[in-house]
Amino acid sequence: MPGAIWIHAVSVGEVLSAPGLLRGLRQAFPSAPLFVSTTTLAGRAIADQKLASLASGVFYAPIDYCFAVRRVLRTIRPAAVVILETEIWPNLIRESKRAGCALVIVNGRISDRALPRYHRLRWFFRPVLNLVDRILVQTDISRVRFVDIGASKGRVVLGGNLKYDFEPSSAGVAPEILKFLESVQPGAVWIAASTMAPAEPGDPDEDDAVIAAFRELAQRYPRLLLIHVPRKPERFDVAAGKLEEAGISFIRRSALAGAERFPELPCVLLLDSIGELSALFACADVVFMGGTLPHRGGHNILEPAFFGRPVIIGPHMENFPEIASEFIEQGACVSIERPERLAAAVEGLLTDADLRTVLGERARKLAEARRGATARAIHEIHDVWAEALPVYRPAFPLYQFFWGLSALWWLGGIVKRWINRAGSQRLSTPVVSVGSISIGGSGKTPFVLWLAERLKESGYSPAFLTRGYRRRVPEKHTILAPGATVSPLRTGDEAQILLRSGVGPMGIGADRAATGRLVEERFHPDVFVLDDGFQHWRLDRDLDIVLIDGLAPYGSNGRLVPLGRLREPMSALSRAAVFVVTRTEPGRNYQAVVARLRHYNRTAPVFFSRVVAQDWVDAQTGERIAPRSLAHSRVGAFCGLANPASFWHALGDLDIRTARCWTFADHKQYRPLEVRRLAKQARSLGIEALLTTQKDMMNLSEGATALLSPLKLYWLRIDVEVDGANEFLSLVKSRIRREPREADV
């Protein structure tokens, strides 16, 4: 999935900080698939809940072993890997860079507890960290720590904290909780958020501290509701047992839906769920942030601050030292040293509404001032993503075997080139070749047609030369007038598209020099456009245009068949006179692609093109409809292309969500039985229409539309858009020796 971005979010907290980042990435990279991995059960559950509508896929992260990481990289083929927050994954980093991916650490932080371990092993982490393109850290303290353990100063950037860009859930508070709150009508709501167990001997248990404080406060505040939120799911039952042992009236969040009656105030709502805390801060009068009384390093206090709620913290905020220091100095929170002070701190806020308002407003302003981390992260990701050129290798056990076959392919190519060049011929008519260095899938046929149309508009009489790949007739040379009606079996599917355009006559044959002479004798063209001719040594060309697929440059891994998809070594690019990077996206930087071209060819100009959808054509009636008119229909799609991603990419650009996609081999000839099977599967899915490409239309069996009935069948009519088209055409014309005849102008 070329251009994909893999976001590796380790824990629940990192997953919860990811939605804003994914929304921003979706806007910045509308065509790039986004994948999210996480390492914990709770993180996966939250990712499925919060990120399903934003991500193309959510999965468990591979263990940090090379074979596992390589398998994921080969499967999703990311152009960029984004690692969120604290963990340093050596093999993930190494293998991502080995695959040519851009690599960014976002929300980077090294805690007090982790620093000594990283520092002892800085000899190990230094080369790993210097493989990362950007390290966006939360604070200056973390920036110094990353540099201290070996990261290059130039790669470490102060990026802020994604959690500062917290946005309340649009879903709000769950209906069951709202019903509970409306029923019990609390006079005050205290949230004890993310409470944790002791970390070291002598540490307090925050569940015990909260329960003790509540028992004391309940005597003076009969309308008090405590929403108790243990940090980890494994603590839910433990907290319930402690509440029951203390004789406190409580109800679990999981029991609300089936409850016929609720406990009377004062009582406790034990939030034994994941992902609902953030929305509940809006209901709180006071918030105690857990993880701050024991040596746990604290948790993020910015979420309640965004709601303007006063926050109580303990002495341990080592994970957020700058935030804690700023909030304390600005009088934007209440800090306590011991658990015994918790009840008094809560009561002080409950009894003073003005103080609650002042503290909450100060906290909100401080939180708002720190926003912007998401935008900075997206900017940095965009920069390194544009410079990436992923390379994906086959699994190691097959590598050496494929390498040997690739070597044989290379030797065979040298021999073939030497033999054919010795007998190469030149036609009296100029020849412009449109070819590629890789097998299939670079968009040659649409570009050949576009070029011929532009030349005809300029007064030339173009003709097509092609080998007619996979045609089913024995004749050596097939010469056809523009728009001639013949079977695709005689021409091949791609040649049929060129023929039906009516732009010019066509010569089809393996020996394109001999075929071209026959076309010259019959039609006297001004210029030949040679389709897929970069490796055709028997015919001399006046101009070699080489197409580079923007979705999978250089066959994805820059290696020869069968190890990769290259027909020739990369050094062959030195022969090209012009490069056109196809299937590009407007505004995207293809710096890495161009840099690789310049390594082999310093002079050939580089242009950029893309396919533009014109309309959908009803296969039965020929009626044309707008390209986005099927965006809200229940449709399926099928294609047999060398690079099917190009068609799925086009559907995504048209906002078309398919119920199912069927992928077939390139140049697939669809037999009646296969068409019936396709129709049956589509009908079982409730699909109303099937979408395909013009090339696939040429390969459908006769009467296919009747076999698909009552399903509608549409094929996509496309055009090509070239940046700097006038400059490109001027260059082509300058290489055509003969000027157009006056009678044709």
Side-chain angles (χ1 to χ4, degrees):
M1 300 174 192
I5 300 175
W6 174 9
I7 298 96
H8 181 52
V10 179
S11 67
V12 172
E14 290 152 11
V15 172
L16 289 172
S17 70
L21 178 63
L22 262 69
R23 278 190 290 270
L25 291 173
R26 177 60 67 212
Q27 293 177 357
F29 309 93
S31 303
L34 303 178
F35 295 94
V36 177
S37 65
T38 183
T39 60
T40 65
L41 291 170
R44 173 62 188 272
I46 290 296
D48 285 335
Q49 176 186 348
K50 301 285 187 181
L51 307 179
S53 62
L54 299 169
S56 304
V58 176
F59 60 96
Y60 286 112
I63 56 176
D64 198 39
Y65 291 161
C66 293
F67 77 90
V69 174
R70 288 172 187 168
R71 184 172 183 179
V72 173
L73 290 169
R74 285 195 300 268
T75 300
I76 65 176
R77 298 175 61 196
V81 177
V82 180
I83 301 174
L84 289 185
E85 296 206 26
T86 58
E87 298 291 336
I88 299 175
W89 297 69
N91 287 318
L92 173 59
I93 291 173
R94 288 195 191 97
E95 293 304 320
S96 295
K97 293 309 294 182
R98 183 172 177 265
C101 303
L103 190 58
V104 184
I105 294 176
V106 175
N107 250 30
R109 175 174 62 86
I110 297 178
S111 66
D112 291 348
R113 178 174 297 180
L115 181 61
R117 175 169 56 90
Y118 284 137
H119 196 271
R120 285 194 304 271
L121 298 174
R122 61 184 180 276
W123 58 270
F124 173 77
F125 287 109
R126 179 180 290 110
V128 173
L129 289 173
N130 283 308
L131 293 174
V132 182
D133 297 296
R134 299 286 193 282
I135 302 174
L136 276 68
V137 296
Q138 297 181 15
T139 65
D140 279 320
I141 293 174
S142 289
R143 181 172 58 81
V144 171
R145 289 176 175 179
F146 267 101
V147 173
D148 187 48
I149 65 171
S152 170
K153 286 184 178 180
R155 297 172 188 262
V156 184
V157 180
L158 183 61
N161 193 328
L162 293 181
K163 295 176 182 177
Y164 297 174
D165 293 339
F166 164 76
E167 295 180 8
S169 171
S170 58
V173 180
E176 295 89 350
I177 299 178
L178 282 176
K179 180 181 177 182
F180 168 75
L181 294 175
E182 291 170 359
S183 176
V184 300
Q185 291 291 311
V189 177
W190 166 30
I191 293 181
S194 301
T195 57
M196 299 194 73
E200 298 178 359
D203 272 350
D205 186 311
E206 287 182 324
D207 291 330
D208 291 339
V210 167
I211 290 172
F214 177 76
R215 292 182 65 181
E216 181 179 340
L217 292 169
Q219 299 175 21
R220 299 188 291 276
Y221 296 90
R223 304 297 300 168
L224 177 63
L225 170 67
L226 167 63
I227 301 179
H228 187 182
V229 191
R231 175 72 172 182
K232 297 184 176 181
E234 57 265 29
R235 296 282 295 178
F236 293 161
D237 290 340
V238 174
K242 289 176 180 291
L243 288 167
E244 188 171 356
E245 184 179 347
I248 294 174
S249 178
F250 76 98
I251 186 170
R252 297 176 70 139
R253 161 66 179 92
S254 56
L256 289 179
E260 297 182 0
R261 57 190 301 272
F262 301 124
E264 295 182 358
L265 296 173
C267 68
V268 175
L269 171 62
L270 177 60
L271 196 69
D272 58 348
S273 62
I274 299 294
E276 293 188 304
L277 174 59
S278 294
L280 282 172
F281 284 132
C283 305
D285 293 292
V286 179
V287 175
F288 163 66
M289 183 54 66
T292 62
L293 288 174
H295 289 78
R296 293 287 185 178
H299 298 309
N300 178 31
I301 63 174
L302 293 174
E303 290 187 16
F306 281 125
F307 287 101
R309 297 303 184 252
V311 182
I312 301 169
I313 60 173
H316 297 292
M317 285 287 287
E318 292 86 357
N319 291 341
F320 305 89
E322 292 184 347
I323 297 175
S325 176
E326 186 174 27
F327 269 60
I328 292 171
E329 288 176 3
Q330 297 295 323
C333 68
V334 175
S335 178
I336 60 175
E337 293 298 320
R338 303 186 309 277
E340 295 80 11
R341 296 292 303 157
L342 180 57
V346 174
E347 185 170 20
L349 291 170
L350 290 179
T351 57
D352 192 337
D354 291 338
L355 179 59
R356 292 201 306 271
T357 301
V358 170
L359 288 180
E361 186 60 20
R362 288 174 183 168
R364 187 189 63 77
K365 288 181 178 179
L366 287 176
E368 290 286 350
R370 287 178 171 266
R371 296 175 75 87
T374 301
R376 287 190 289 272
I378 292 169
H379 174 76
E380 295 290 348
I381 293 169
H382 188 280
D383 281 354
V384 299
W385 182 74
E387 298 171 0
L389 192 61
V391 176
Y392 300 103
R393 299 172 173 84
F396 183 77
L398 300 176
Y399 184 83
Q400 292 185 346
F401 173 71
F402 283 150
W403 187 92
L405 294 180
S406 292
L408 292 176
W409 177 281
W410 174 70
L411 289 172
I414 291 176
V415 173
K416 181 180 179 182
R417 179 180 179 181
W418 181 77
I419 293 173
N420 289 337
R421 290 204 68 172
S424 65
Q425 303 174 53
R426 176 175 287 276
L427 297 174
S428 59
T429 304
V431 177
V432 177
S433 166
V434 178
S436 173
I437 196 173
S438 59
I439 291 177
S442 60
K444 289 186 293 293
T445 301
F447 193 86
V448 165
L449 180 56
W450 176 87
L451 177 58
E453 289 173 339
R454 301 293 86 75
L455 289 172
K456 187 171 184 178
E457 290 172 359
S458 299
Y460 291 88
S461 295
F464 299 107
L465 273 180
T466 180
R467 63 172 172 163
Y469 184 66
R470 287 199 177 182
R471 66 188 188 129
R472 303 293 181 86
V473 294
E475 58 191 14
K476 293 181 63 176
H477 308 290
T478 301
I479 313 301
L480 299 168
T485 303
V486 298
S487 168
L489 297 178
R490 189 180 177 193
T491 62
D493 48 14
E494 292 169 338
Q496 186 75 193
I497 294 173
L498 301 175
L499 179 65
R500 292 190 186 184
S501 71
V503 173
M506 171 168 285
I508 307 173
D511 185 347
R512 271 145 280 184
T515 302
R517 282 192 290 271
L518 294 174
V519 175
E520 287 179 323
E521 292 172 5
R522 181 173 173 184
F523 295 105
H524 310 291
D526 290 324
V527 58
F528 280 111
V529 182
L530 174 62
D531 181 23
D532 199 11
F534 193 51
Q535 288 79 32
H536 188 65
W537 312 111
R538 286 183 287 177
L539 177 62
D540 288 338
R541 283 91 67 181
D542 296 83
L543 182 69
D544 262 315
I545 301 170
V546 174
L547 306 186
I548 304 295
D549 184 2
L551 290 178
Y554 317 119
S556 292
N557 65 7
R559 295 181 180 272
L560 291 172
V561 173
L563 198 57
R565 289 176 48 222
L566 293 188
R567 303 177 182 186
E568 298 182 81
M570 295 285 288
S571 58
L573 293 171
S574 62
R575 303 197 316 268
V578 184
F579 292 113
V580 179
V581 183
T582 61
R583 296 173 177 153
T584 62
E585 299 174 8
R588 178 179 169 184
N589 186 333
Y590 288 87
Q591 178 180 339
V593 177
V594 175
R596 181 67 66 87
L597 291 175
R598 286 288 169 254
H599 179 75
Y600 297 100
N601 188 320
R602 295 185 176 277
T603 59
V606 181
F607 295 86
F608 300 91
S609 76
R610 64 202 56 86
V611 167
V612 180
Q614 295 295 297
D615 43 46
W616 291 102
V617 181
D618 188 315
Q620 187 167 18
T621 66
E623 178 188 2
R624 296 179 180 180
I625 61 175
R628 294 183 181 274
S629 59
L630 298 174
H632 301 292
S633 303
R634 185 166 179 80
V635 299
F638 68 94
C639 70
L641 305 175
N643 187 354
S646 60
F647 186 45
W648 314 143
H649 185 91
L651 296 180
D653 286 345
L654 297 175
D655 297 324
I656 293 176
R657 301 277 184 173
T658 55
R660 182 171 174 183
C661 292
W662 290 267
T663 302
F664 297 94
D666 192 21
H667 301 281
K668 170 68 177 177
Q669 297 286 332
Y670 299 91
R671 296 173 296 176
L673 179 62
E674 292 170 316
V675 175
R676 290 193 188 97
R677 185 183 301 123
L678 184 63
K680 182 179 179 181
Q681 292 174 352
R683 286 195 297 269
S684 70
L685 295 171
I687 289 172
E688 303 167 354
L690 287 171
L691 312 179
T692 193
T693 70
Q694 186 177 13
K695 176 178 173 179
D696 288 284
M697 275 299 303
M698 305 300 167
N699 290 321
L700 284 173
S701 60
E702 187 174 352
T705 54
L707 295 175
L708 290 171
S709 183
L711 294 173
K712 300 283 286 184
L713 176 63
Y714 297 95
W715 59 271
L716 185 62
R717 194 171 69 92
I718 60 175
D719 196 5
V720 172
E721 180 180 271
V722 179
D723 296 337
N726 291 335
E727 180 185 354
F728 173 80
L729 291 170
S730 296
L731 189 154
V732 172
K733 293 173 188 177
S734 70
R735 301 294 291 270
I736 299 175
R737 296 188 304 275
R738 182 189 303 173
E739 293 297 322
R741 296 188 299 270
E742 291 186 6
D744 295 329
V745 177

